[in-house]
Amino acid sequence: MTKDEILAQLKELGTRFEDPKIQRRFKDFHKTLQFIFPDIDAQMYMKIGDAELVELAEGIVEAEMTVTMDSTVFLKIMDKSESPMAAYQAGKLKTKGEVPDLLKLQKLML
Amino acid sequence: MKVLITAPFSESGLKLLQDAGLEVQHESWLETGKLYLGDKLLPVIKEGGFDIVIVEGDEVKEEVIDGANLRVIASARDNPNNVSISAATAKNIPVIGAPGRNTIAVAELTITLMLSQARRIVTADRLLKNDFMVDDYSDFARMYMTTTGFELHGRTVGIIGLGKIGHEVAKRLQAFGVEIIVFDPYVPQERLNEVDAKQVSLEELLRNSDIVTVHCPPTDETKGMLGAEQFGMMKKSAIFINTARASITDEYALRQALESGTIAGAGLDVFSMEPVDCDNEFLELENVIVTPHIGGNTVDTIERQSMMIARDIGAILKGDRPENVLNPEVLKKEET
C-alpha cells in the first residue's frame, strides 16, 4: 500500500464525520490523531475539531492519540474485515492516549 | 506484601487475602471507572510499592512487568489476553487466571435469551412501553399477534461448541424437552452422551435447528465461521444466539440475515465494537435482543473469581501449588 492510498483511506475515514452518530460523539472534541504505519514508513496525522476533519496531512505532530499499525491492518479495518478491537487484542494495532479518546477513536474507525 | 486489586472482588475474597497477611488496596474499576492501558499501571504499582496485582481488563504487559517487581499477577479472566504471560514467565512471575468463573452466568444468560426470543418478552415490553393502548378489541388482537411465541419443548437446539459453557447450556436445555444437536469437532462421544446430544456437521446443525447457539472460542479456525452462506442455511423461523465472541460471525452478514428475514431473530451479547452503547447497529432491529456483554456479570461470578484468585495467591505464598496458574513452568523453576 502506498502513502497516497493511505491518505485516500484516511480521507474516507474523514467522511464518517458526516454520520450524525459520529457528529454527536465528537461534538466539542478538538484533538489530533497521529497514525504511524511502520511497514511503509509513513506517518500521517488528522486534526479533529468539533466533529469535523480540520486537517489531514503527512508528518509527525504533537498528538493526543497515536495509533501504530501496518498499512495492511488499516486496510482491513477500513473494509471491515477486521475490527479495531480484535486488531488491538492481537497486538496488531497499538495505541497511546487517554481511554475516553481511544473509545471515540474506535467508534470512528469501525 | 502489598496487593493492588483493580478487578471487582468480593468481601470474602478480600478477607482471605488479609488473613494471609497481605496488605490489600482494592480499587475496583467498577468504582473508579479507570482502565489502565499500555504502561499506565506501572507508576501506580511503583508508587504504591505493590508486590501483587489482580486485574480484570487492565493491561499488564512487557512495559509494566519489566518496570515493576511483581511477585504474582492475577487476572479475573478465563484466558487473559491483557497480561503478557511470556514477559511474566521471563521474570519468573506466576500468572493466575480464573477459568470457569463465569460459566454458569453465561449459560444462564444464553437460556434467558433463548426464552426471551421464543416468548417475545422484549417485544411485549417494548410494545407496552410505547404507549400501546387497547381502545378496541382489535388492539388486543394485534398485541396477541405481535407477541405470539413458541415453546422450546419439542424443538431442536443446535449448539456450536460443547466446551464448558456449551455443556452447561445443554444440561439446562434438557429440562425443556428439546432435541440437542452439536457441532464440535473436538468433543468426545462421552461428553455428548452426558447431555443426550447428537454430533452433526455444521451444515446439518444450521439446517435443522430452531435455535442456534454459539459457544466456541475465538480462534483462527472459528473466525468468521458463520457468514452469509451459513445464515442462509438456517430456517427462516430460527433464532440465533451468540454469547461467545463476535469474531465467530460475520457481523455484517448477520445483520443482513436479520434485516432480510433470512432468520427470525437473534439474542446477542457480544459485538465487534465494545463497550456497547446506544450506537450499536443491532438496536435498530426489532427482532434482536441486544445485551452489552453482560454474560458473566453476576455477583456469583465476582465471588467465584475472588475466591479462586485469593486461594491461589495464598497457595503460592505458602509454597503450595496454585490451581489455576497459566505459566506452571515458573513453579517448576522454583521447585527445582
Side-chain angles (χ1 to χ4, degrees):
Chain A
M1 209 177 193
T2 66
K3 287 180 186 179
D4 286 344
E5 284 170 325
I6 288 280
L7 264 176
Q9 288 288 333
L10 285 171
K11 268 187 196 158
E12 171 66 27
L13 195 62
T15 63
R16 293 186 186 172
F17 286 109
E18 289 162 18
D19 181 340
K21 285 180 179 175
I22 295 290
Q23 280 188 5
R24 187 180 57 178
R25 203 170 285 276
F26 282 86
K27 192 175 178 340
D28 298 326
F29 186 84
H30 298 268
K31 293 194 176 174
T32 301
L33 168 57
Q34 177 80 59
F35 287 95
I36 296 173
F37 304 99
D39 60 328
I40 57 165
D41 191 26
Q43 300 86 29
M44 317 276 177
Y45 66 90
M46 186 184 260
K47 287 192 175 173
I48 302 162
D50 197 15
E52 274 188 33
L53 176 60
V54 176
E55 188 181 350
L56 172 64
E58 196 177 342
I60 292 186
V61 293
E62 201 168 306
E64 285 86 358
M65 299 169 279
T66 303
V67 183
T68 305
M69 63 190 146
D70 281 348
S71 59
T72 48
V73 174
F74 177 60
L75 189 66
K76 282 184 181 173
I77 289 171
M78 288 300 289
D79 73 14
K80 297 185 188 295
S81 60
E82 175 130 39
S83 85
M85 194 167 81
Y88 179 82
Q89 286 174 346
K92 293 188 241 173
L93 181 156
K94 294 188 190 310
T95 60
K96 271 190 184 167
E98 297 302 319
V99 171
D101 293 342
L102 296 171
L103 285 172
K104 279 192 200 302
L105 173 64
Q106 186 191 212
K107 297 284 182 186
L108 180 67
M109 291 185 75
L110 196 73
Chain B
M1 272 201 281
K2 289 180 77 176
V3 187
L4 172 66
I5 308 174
T6 59
F9 222 72
S10 68
E11 285 300 320
S12 46
L14 292 172
K15 187 172 183 307
L16 208 60
L17 292 173
Q18 286 156 347
D19 289 348
L22 296 166
E23 189 184 327
V24 178
Q25 192 165 319
H26 186 207
E27 298 173 4
S28 166
W29 70 268
L30 294 178
E31 282 158 26
T32 64
K34 279 185 190 169
L35 177 68
Y36 296 100
L37 297 179
D39 62 358
K40 296 278 171 66
L41 195 57
L42 181 58
V44 181
I45 294 170
K46 288 179 89 166
E47 282 162 27
F50 294 105
D51 309 283
I52 298 171
V53 288
I54 303 173
V55 298
E56 186 166 28
D58 300 315
E59 287 187 336
V60 189
K61 296 202 169 172
E62 285 79 359
E63 50 268 63
V64 174
I65 293 169
D66 292 344
N69 285 310
L70 292 168
R71 291 276 309 275
V72 181
I73 299 166
S75 175
R77 283 183 164 181
D78 260 42
N79 194 10
N81 56 10
N82 54 318
V83 177
S84 171
I85 295 173
S86 58
T89 305
K91 284 192 77 177
N92 224 23
I93 304 166
V95 180
I96 301 297
R101 67 183 180 123
N102 61 5
T103 301
I104 292 170
V106 177
E108 288 186 0
L109 181 74
T110 303
I111 301 291
T112 304
L113 290 172
M114 283 181 194
L115 288 169
S116 299
Q117 274 292 4
R119 298 306 309 273
R120 315 210 69 180
I121 301 296
V122 174
T123 303
D125 183 68
R126 282 179 194 153
L127 179 76
L128 294 172
K129 283 182 177 158
N130 279 304
D131 292 335
F132 172 72
M133 290 174 76
V134 179
D135 289 327
D136 189 284
Y137 212 67
S138 63
D139 294 323
F140 190 52
R142 182 166 60 88
M143 180 272 286
Y144 249 66
M145 290 285 280
T146 309
T147 58
T148 306
F150 66 88
E151 295 167 6
L152 294 193
H153 183 83
R155 295 304 202 285
T156 299
V157 179
I159 300 178
I160 301 175
L162 200 69
K164 278 186 290 193
I165 294 173
H167 195 252
E168 289 298 325
V169 168
K171 276 161 66 179
R172 283 153 182 77
L173 282 173
Q174 286 181 291
F176 289 94
V178 300
E179 183 187 350
I180 300 172
I181 55 177
V182 168
F183 171 68
D184 185 337
Y186 304 103
V187 70
Q189 185 60 43
E190 191 181 55
R191 195 168 172 81
L192 290 159
N193 294 344
E194 283 169 10
V195 288
D196 200 15
K198 186 177 138 199
Q199 172 85 279
V200 294
S201 68
L202 179 60
E203 183 174 342
E204 205 177 332
L205 181 142
L206 295 168
R207 291 196 186 282
N208 292 296
S209 298
D210 297 295
I211 298 173
V212 172
T213 183
V214 181
H215 299 288
C216 51
T219 63
D220 287 342
E221 190 182 359
T222 62
K223 187 178 178 184
M225 185 170 73
L226 301 172
E229 187 187 347
Q230 287 71 30
F231 292 123
M233 291 174 184
M234 288 172 65
K235 293 181 182 179
K236 277 193 181 303
S237 57
I239 301 297
F240 178 72
I241 308 288
N242 191 356
T243 56
R245 281 293 181 274
S247 64
I248 296 159
T249 64
D250 174 342
E251 234 177 26
Y252 178 75
L254 174 58
R255 181 174 170 142
Q256 292 288 104
L258 288 159
E259 269 181 323
S260 64
T262 303
I263 61 172
L268 307 173
D269 189 47
V270 288
F271 302 89
S272 59
M273 177 142 47
E274 294 183 5
V276 175
D277 65 16
C278 62
D279 282 350
N280 183 286
E281 61 178 353
F282 286 95
L283 287 170
E284 294 162 13
L285 306 181
E286 282 297 321
N287 55 348
V288 181
I289 298 173
V290 175
T291 52
H293 205 150
I294 57 169
N297 189 16
T298 65
V299 291
D300 312 277
T301 294
I302 294 172
E303 174 64 18
R304 205 171 289 116
Q305 72 193 25
S306 304
M307 295 307 285
M308 288 169 86
I309 291 170
R311 282 194 200 108
D312 269 357
I313 289 174
I316 289 172
L317 296 179
K318 283 193 280 183
D320 295 337
R321 196 174 180 82
E323 265 186 51
N324 300 304
V325 64
L326 299 167
N327 52 351
E329 60 270 38
V330 163
L331 301 175
K332 280 177 195 156
K333 277 185 207 167
E334 281 182 354
E335 283 163 10
T336 51

